[in-house]
Amino acid sequence: GYGHYKKWSLAVRVVTLHPAPLILTPNSTSPAAAPHLFWGSYRPQVYLGMKTRSPRSVVTGLMWLSQSGSSSLRHTCEQGDGLERYGWLMHDGVNFGVQEIKDKGFTLRTEFVKRPGGRHGGDWSWRITGTPDDPASPARLVSVLFYVATDGQGSLTPHMDSRDRLSSVTGTSEELGTFTIHFPRPEGGASGHVSYNHLVTVCPGLHHITDVVRSSMRDRFNHPAADSSTKRRYFGLDTYQPPSYPGSDHTHIVIHQVSMYLPAQVEILFESDSFTQRQGPLSGAAFTTELETHKRNMEERFRERFHLEEKGFMSEQVSFAQAALSNMVGGMGYFYGSSLVQSRHNPEPVAYPPAPLHTAVPSRSFFPRGFLWDEGFHLLLIARWDPTLAWQSLAHWLDLINADGWIPREQILGPEARSKVPAEFVVQWEENANPPTLFLALRQLLTGGTVSAEGLQFLRGAFPRLQTWYDWFNNTQNGLLPYTYRWRGRDRDTLRFLNPKTLTSGLDDYPRASHPSDDERHVDLRCWMALASEVMTTICELLGEDGGRYKASHMALTDNSRLDKLHWSERLGAYADYGNHTQNVALEWERIRPTPGQDPRSVPPPRLIRVVRKPPKLQFVGALGYVSLFPFILEILSPDSPKLGRLLDHLRDADRLWTPYGIRSLSKSSPLFLQRNTEHDPPYWRGPIWININYLVVRALYRYSQMEGPYRERALGLYRELRTNLISNLYRQYKESGFLWEQYNDQTGRGQGCHPFTGWSSLIVLVMAEEF
Ligand code: 6A9
């Protein structure tokens, strides 16, 4: 009956895509339309891997294994591998990359160069160079494993040049046509001896490759000892008996293993058969020449874009900035698959329509996938380096929007991505937002100068989607009063959490009203919507559309007296959220006594639970920190507002927000400063220094220092100090630890959370370049 139909139609809405034509038709990313972007290091989750921008791409990857000491196979980027450092030193996002991986006792340099030609995205080559830390120490036997694998389509044929040496693989796939991968004999290796192993097999999917390799290895192989007098054993690819799989869309894989003493060098060449005018193989001296040309070009372009030498940076600091940018663009991935999503109309999670996503990722080890609000920050840097890459990402993200105007926050696309995420984090809920930071990137791309043809074309395609996205926020994240907003999807369980989290805001455990309710209004979301309204107005002007309603919203949302009425807390001396709130909460161990006659062993163990000592009431939330700064960092506050003076005071106050390493997320004087949220939930956005928000603070200080007003000088002084602090600390952390980090300790400046985290931490390049 009708009731049943109604239910069904509500339930399918969450997985119904927006009706507007896709911004990116499948053809627009094909090797014919965009050959230079077809192949890329689009597998940021592995130490080295390449694939094409196609749904079920043939993939290639690197593994290695030290046969001396405790050997463990390296493949996917894992913090547990304990590498001293790894990451791109140079990568221009398109043509080449140079990475250094510091393993225990030796360094691997992984370089790749692409060469355009033919009709299928051209050729590329890899060069892997292994160097021992100490040339005098006993020879170290290392195995380098190269694999090529299909993902449900295409074929691979191995070719041998002797009984045990794989010399090449020929293959075909839908988008690559036919191709050949060559394995020339390596260079170097003390005693000159090289041992070869290989494996040709099938497995149920790309995320099984590590296991297949690991379980096929036996240490029954012999390699000459370093002095050639005897033989020593090593682990080599042997046999693997795959279970039988139904169907034929499994992964075919060919793995080539080369074992030799360091120092040594291996090259791998991918050649597209449609590339017929090749001068010669991309190896040896030709490889070196092309790589050097790309490096020089990048250095020159980097100098032109960012002017770091002119600003007085030493060459080591310039290299640091170059590495940060390289990891941002070199860490971009291409993913394809379905999210698991759910709305309140679905009894269970449902699969989103499969789609591609070409995006940067926050962290290659821990979060190698797309995050909506992270990407808006990433694009601030990417757009300044290569606007095409930024437009590509924006288009992919906006093509993910559904009919209601929702974009899932965390994009866990396909089985390989899903294999990295604990089950409880997989499902994305339709009522949940994430800050619309894509507007930050758009604002930058659209202001100052003329908009490129590429940009205008994007805007025309994106406009209906942006409109729906904007409306979705207004329809689903609105507050009770006009021009107020409220993040949906806060934690419901008020018994366990010291303060129920607001993951959707991006600021996770940043303190909000202690008792979530419909009365809440969130100042950060209001400011994000002011920004969105401004950018929508600009877009309408550029497209000749009527932007009246966006302009009206922008006026209302930037009206300082209305803002002050809704969000200024005189008691806090800052902007604040409003809601049902009490400061008097604490975590305490629950006391559970056995009931008379109960077996004491059956009493559940005590838990840490929240106790509320004073009932909540409607009031401003007394938390000073990032949220209180939003009207300033998104430049809504007028430069002559006395409130600006008050905020600058807090900012510079070492007992509140100021540290020698950057601005801390929550004031030292705030009741929840560095408090854990549950027994297992350490403080996250309750004190540590985060670089995305620090970028916005530094930028706002700079902008206010350019505007007439009583606080101009003050802003300029703080700008200089904060900029210096951020740069010195991130540079020092990178030098000392080998990485950029997720966040930085407010007492010591040390990097913490996960690493490498070259997502928004790379914004330090823009801080150095003073690009705001
Ligand atoms: C956990 C663990 C193998 C948390 O950078 C991505 C996000 C930010 O958007 C957000 O603002 N990070 C910040 O508060 C990381 C979130 C990771 C959640 C998934 C799964 C898997 O470990």
Side-chain angles (χ1 to χ4, degrees):
Y2 177 74
H4 178 77
Y5 170 78
K6 183 88 205 266
K7 250 187 163 162
W8 174 82
S9 74
L10 285 171
V12 297
R13 248 191 107 69
V14 66
V15 291
T16 305
L17 290 182
H18 194 281
L22 291 172
I23 309 173
L24 293 168
T25 56
N27 242 352
S28 65
T29 56
S30 70
H36 63 297
L37 288 179
F38 195 53
W39 274 108
S41 56
Y42 302 140
R43 305 181 66 215
Q45 71 277 18
V46 296
Y47 289 113
L48 182 63
M50 283 181 48
K51 67 186 285 193
T52 60
R53 293 208 300 176
S54 34
R56 292 172 308 153
S57 168
V58 166
V59 307
T60 62
L62 178 78
M63 301 183 191
W64 74 93
L65 177 70
S66 168
Q67 302 276 359
S68 317
S70 64
S71 48
S72 84
L73 186 71
R74 315 287 194 204
H75 178 213
T76 52
C77 302
E78 302 292 341
Q79 284 193 179
D81 287 346
L83 299 185
E84 273 170 48
R85 73 192 146 76
Y86 64 92
W88 298 105
L89 299 177
M90 289 186 89
H91 190 309
D92 69 356
V94 177
N95 301 299
F96 83 105
V98 176
Q99 177 175 232
E100 220 168 71
I101 302 171
K102 183 73 204 65
D103 205 336
K104 289 162 191 121
F106 62 102
T107 302
L108 283 188
R109 204 174 167 84
T110 68
E111 295 163 319
F112 81 86
V113 174
K114 276 162 61 182
R115 199 191 241 180
R119 284 173 288 111
H120 299 279
D123 293 353
W124 51 259
S125 296
W126 290 3
R127 177 183 282 172
I128 316 299
T129 311
T131 323
D133 287 353
D134 176 5
S137 76
R140 180 181 288 274
L141 185 65
V142 169
S143 296
V144 170
L145 297 95
F146 172 87
Y147 65 83
V148 51
T150 65
D151 188 17
Q153 55 105 1
S155 66
L156 301 171
T157 312
H159 303 276
M160 313 294 294
D161 69 0
S162 63
R163 196 177 52 86
D164 55 351
R165 202 189 95 88
L166 196 65
S167 59
S168 67
V169 174
T170 50
T172 85
S173 83
E174 284 162 11
E175 313 82 358
L176 285 171
T178 57
F179 58 84
T180 310
I181 300 175
H182 299 277
F183 305 120
R185 290 181 182 275
E187 299 276 325
S191 80
H193 190 90
V194 185
S195 297
Y196 298 99
N197 299 74
H198 71 279
L199 181 71
V200 179
T201 188
V202 292
C203 66
L206 298 176
H207 52 300
H208 291 271
I209 292 177
T210 318
D211 284 345
V212 168
V213 168
R214 208 175 262 141
S215 59
S216 78
M217 288 198 136
R218 314 264 181 291
D219 76 337
R220 66 175 187 82
F221 300 96
N222 290 313
H223 191 89
D227 60 7
S228 305
S229 60
T230 51
K231 299 239 165 210
R232 51 160 298 175
R233 304 254 250 173
Y234 75 94
F235 282 92
L237 293 166
D238 193 5
T239 53
Y240 174 75
Q241 195 48 59
S244 65
Y245 307 114
S248 59
D249 60 348
H250 38 249
T251 285
H252 289 259
I253 174 165
V254 180
I255 313 155
H256 171 64
Q257 176 180 1
V258 177
S259 306
M260 57 205 165
Y261 290 106
L262 300 186
Q265 190 170 84
V266 198
E267 290 182 347
I268 292 112
L269 283 66
F270 175 94
E271 294 186 341
S272 167
D273 289 358
S274 71
F275 190 168
T276 50
Q277 303 298 316
R278 194 176 293 112
Q279 296 295 330
L282 183 50
S283 66
F287 181 95
T288 307
T289 308
E290 294 194 22
L291 178 65
E292 289 308 317
T293 307
H294 285 305
K295 280 161 79 172
R296 266 198 315 277
N297 289 345
M298 177 170 183
E299 269 164 2
E300 203 169 299
R301 192 163 132 216
F302 193 82
R303 200 172 306 129
E304 272 165 26
R305 292 283 148 98
F306 300 118
H307 306 284
L308 297 189
E309 288 88 351
E310 283 160 52
K311 288 178 185 292
F313 289 103
M314 321 290 266
S315 76
E316 269 210 84
Q317 293 167 309
V318 176
S319 305
F320 156 72
Q322 218 160 248
L325 170 80
S326 295
N327 282 301
M328 181 86 271
V329 291
M332 287 183 88
Y334 183 87
F335 306 95
Y336 188 92
S338 290
S339 295
L340 270 189
V341 302
Q342 194 165 359
S343 80
R344 62 198 163 85
H345 304 294
N346 306 105
E348 273 165 29
V350 282
Y352 210 67
L357 181 62
H358 185 190
T359 183
V361 305
S363 162
R364 288 175 61 188
S365 59
F366 240 63
F367 318 125
R369 51 187 176 273
F371 285 82
L372 181 53
W373 92 302
D374 295 63
E375 190 63 1
F377 288 102
H378 300 158
L379 294 178
L380 293 174
L381 176 59
I382 294 172
R384 283 187 167 89
W385 176 249
D386 186 341
T388 297
L389 289 178
W391 292 121
Q392 288 292 304
S393 161
L394 281 166
H396 275 95
W397 274 99
L398 289 171
D399 275 346
L400 288 169
I401 201 165
N402 76 0
D404 289 330
W406 174 65
I407 306 177
R409 170 169 61 117
E410 186 175 343
Q411 294 287 333
I412 311 164
L413 303 181
E416 199 186 0
R418 214 173 281 170
S419 70
K420 278 227 149 192
V421 186
E424 70 264 36
F425 295 109
V426 169
V427 178
Q428 304 293 305
W429 282 83
E430 201 195 20
E431 66 166 10
N432 291 356
N434 204 204
T437 55
L438 299 185
F439 284 110
L440 265 185
L442 277 169
R443 177 157 80 169
Q444 186 195 293
L445 281 156
L446 299 178
T447 46
T450 48
V451 177
S452 64
E454 195 182 17
L456 279 175
Q457 194 195 338
F458 165 87
L459 285 184
R460 277 188 210 105
F463 187 59
R465 296 168 180 275
L466 288 168
Q467 278 183 304
T468 320
W469 198 34
Y470 179 88
D471 288 341
W472 181 84
F473 277 93
N474 281 308
N475 296 334
T476 69
Q477 310 289 311
N478 53 329
L480 290 180
L481 300 177
Y483 298 109
T484 65
Y485 291 89
R486 174 167 69 86
W487 297 110
R488 302 303 196 271
R490 290 194 61 193
D491 289 333
R492 295 256 150 251
D493 188 350
T494 49
L495 185 67
R496 274 177 53 220
F497 303 112
L498 182 58
N499 186 279
K501 290 191 297 290
T502 316
L503 293 174
T504 54
S505 72
L507 308 173
D508 296 23
D509 64 342
Y510 185 93
R512 308 274 184 174
S514 61
H515 291 69
S517 74
D518 292 356
D519 297 297
E520 264 178 280
R521 42 182 198 255
H522 295 128
V523 64
D524 49 340
L525 183 49
R526 189 176 192 278
C527 295
W528 286 121
M529 291 313 291
L531 169 79
S533 309
E534 182 199 319
V535 177
M536 286 305 287
T537 311
T538 311
I539 293 175
C540 288
E541 279 161 14
L542 286 165
L543 294 179
E545 299 276 344
D546 174 14
R549 68 184 184 109
Y550 302 115
K551 197 164 192 170
S553 293
H554 183 234
M555 301 269 282
L557 292 172
T558 51
D559 173 341
N560 275 226
S561 70
R562 201 188 310 230
L563 168 72
D564 291 354
K565 219 176 280 152
L566 290 167
H567 285 293
W568 180 265
S569 160
E570 194 46 49
R571 200 156 139 220
L572 191 66
Y575 291 101
D577 289 341
Y578 180 88
N580 192 25
H581 182 64
T582 173
Q583 209 118 286
N584 298 315
V585 291
L587 291 181
E588 279 181 7
W589 288 102
E590 181 182 38
R591 248 180 276 166
I592 310 172
R593 297 229 166 76
T595 50
Q598 191 185 3
D599 177 352
R601 282 166 308 179
S602 71
V603 176
R607 294 177 308 169
L608 205 55
I609 54 161
R610 177 170 99 164
V611 291
V612 178
R613 300 229 174 78
K614 202 171 141 193
K617 62 169 198 220
L618 289 177
Q619 58 174 323
F620 287 115
V621 178
L624 177 68
Y626 287 169
V627 163
S628 347
L629 300 178
F630 265 79
F632 164 63
I633 60 183
L634 292 182
E635 295 152 43
I636 289 153
L637 200 50
S638 91
D640 53 12
S641 167
K643 313 276 194 271
L644 178 55
R646 308 273 298 270
L647 291 188
L648 295 182
D649 288 342
H650 294 317
L651 213 54
R652 188 58 190 86
D653 183 347
D655 292 326
R656 293 198 160 84
L657 298 177
W658 190 262
T659 85
Y661 319 107
I663 301 300
R664 54 165 77 86
S665 41
L666 187 62
S667 168
K668 221 172 165 178
S669 64
S670 195
L672 294 195
F673 175 65
L674 292 185
Q675 293 297 306
R676 22 179 80 239
N677 209 32
T678 67
E679 193 185 347
H680 309 286
D681 225 348
Y684 201 39
W685 292 82
R686 294 186 181 171
I689 297 159
W690 294 77
I691 302 307
N692 58 340
I693 303 294
N694 271 275
Y695 171 75
L696 294 179
V697 174
V698 138
R699 182 180 81 153
L701 288 168
Y702 178 83
R703 296 253 180 98
Y704 281 99
S705 80
Q706 308 278 303
M707 298 180 221
E708 284 304 331
Y711 308 103
R712 199 176 167 172
E713 289 301 317
R714 195 77 207 290
L716 183 62
L718 289 181
Y719 165 69
R720 292 197 176 125
E721 259 189 291
L722 178 57
R723 173 170 178 261
T724 309
N725 288 349
L726 288 168
I727 297 170
S728 357
N729 190 54
L730 263 63
Y731 178 66
R732 183 163 66 98
Q733 296 308 317
Y734 179 76
K735 280 281 153 199
E736 283 177 15
S737 70
F739 296 103
L740 284 175
W741 293 73
E742 185 183 22
Q743 32 157 293
Y744 299 86
N745 187 285
D746 71 309
Q747 311 293 320
T748 62
R750 285 187 60 142
Q752 56 186 31
C754 73
H755 71 272
F757 189 102
T758 41
W760 51 48
S761 277
S762 319
L763 293 177
I764 198 65
V765 179
L766 298 181
V767 177
M768 293 170 81
E770 309 192 88
E771 290 265 358
F772 302 115

